Amino acid sequence: MTHMLPISFSLNGQAVSIEIAAHTLLIDLVRDRFGLKGTKRSCDMEVCGACTMLVDGQPVSSCTTLAVDVHQREVTTIEGVTPAGGLSRIQKAFVLHGGLQCGFCTPGFIMSVTALLNENPHPTDEEIRHHLHGNLCRCTGYVKIIEAVKSLAAEHASEHADVV
Ligand code: FES
Ligand code: FES
């Protein structure tokens, strides 16, 4: 018989409690037990970034994170950063700048960019590339993605420019 463990955590701002098998992966918990299918799975070995979620604000590969490790922590998925009936400013920038084609990698990129801009609203090109090195995209060639992130940094700068 599988030994079940009780865990409690915050999922997209909502307190949840559930019993899980000790070997349950975070991606399976979120997709299969909570029905949030926006997070994608591809490599299953922490290489592609498609499964990126935020745990306490930091990007993690949910395909290699044990669900028990998020006990009493905050988990944010792509659903948690997507406004009801619309798109976030980061998602809009990806659309506007052509930062997605098939879209499979996009939820992972959006989560990584969310973490980056929360910590560093004005990243340089090098910082953007470094931060996104764990997210792979087979369609866009990355240039449009970098442009989308740069536009967000510039937007933030103009919003916060001193009025003279
Ligand atoms: S599916 Fe998790 S990193 Fe690729
Ligand atoms: S848009 Fe297709 S993999 Fe990135």
Side-chain angles (χ1 to χ4, degrees), residues 122-131 146 150:
H122 307 291
T124 62
D125 287 19
E126 202 174 312
E127 286 169 335
I128 295 169
R129 286 181 192 279
H130 177 74
H131 184 84
I146 306 292
K150 280 169 65 174

Side-chain angles (χ1 to χ4, degrees), residues 130-147:
H130 177 74
H131 184 84
L132 295 179
H133 78 277
N135 291 86
L136 303 184
C137 173
R138 62 188 295 174
C139 302
T140 63
Y142 300 101
V143 173
K144 305 282 185 193
I145 290 175
I146 306 292
E147 281 175 9

Side-chain angles (χ1 to χ4, degrees), residues 100-106 136-140:
L100 72 154
Q101 289 180 29
C102 79
F104 192 85
C105 68
T106 311
L136 303 184
C137 173
R138 62 188 295 174
C139 302
T140 63

Side-chain angles (χ1 to χ4, degrees), residues 27 39-52 60-65 104 134-136:
I27 190 168
T39 301
K40 302 306 178 204
R41 156 179 264 143
S42 182
C43 69
D44 249 347
M45 52 194 297
E46 204 170 345
V47 170
C48 75
C51 65
T52 304
V60 302
S61 296
S62 62
C63 69
T64 53
T65 300
F104 192 85
N135 291 86
L136 303 184

Side-chain angles (χ1 to χ4, degrees), residues 44-136:
D44 249 347
M45 52 194 297
E46 204 170 345
V47 170
C48 75
C51 65
T52 304
M53 296 181 191
L54 305 187
V55 176
D56 293 343
Q58 296 302 313
V60 302
S61 296
S62 62
C63 69
T64 53
T65 300
L66 285 172
V68 288
D69 288 342
V70 304
H71 179 57
Q72 297 200 328
R73 301 176 74 182
E74 289 184 14
V75 176
T76 308
T77 70
I78 187 68
E79 290 84 357
V81 298
T82 306
L87 297 175
S88 69
R89 61 189 278 271
I90 298 175
Q91 290 166 320
K92 282 181 190 160
F94 269 63
V95 173
L96 271 172
H97 291 266
L100 72 154
Q101 289 180 29
C102 79
F104 192 85
C105 68
T106 311
F109 269 98
I110 298 295
M111 299 314 292
S112 291
V113 172
T114 299
L116 170 64
L117 296 180
N118 282 344
E119 279 191 5
N120 178 6
H122 307 291
T124 62
D125 287 19
E126 202 174 312
E127 286 169 335
I128 295 169
R129 286 181 192 279
H130 177 74
H131 184 84
L132 295 179
H133 78 277
N135 291 86
L136 303 184

Side-chain angles (χ1 to χ4, degrees), residues 2-10 16 18-30 33-34 55-56 60-62 64-75:
T2 307
H3 182 57
M4 302 297 278
L5 299 169
I7 62 166
S8 300
F9 62 104
S10 162
V16 295
I18 194 164
E19 291 209 335
I20 57 167
H23 61 268
T24 302
L25 294 169
L26 180 58
I27 190 168
D28 295 321
L29 174 66
V30 168
R33 303 284 299 278
F34 288 99
V55 176
D56 293 343
V60 302
S61 296
S62 62
T64 53
T65 300
L66 285 172
V68 288
D69 288 342
V70 304
H71 179 57
Q72 297 200 328
R73 301 176 74 182
E74 289 184 14
V75 176

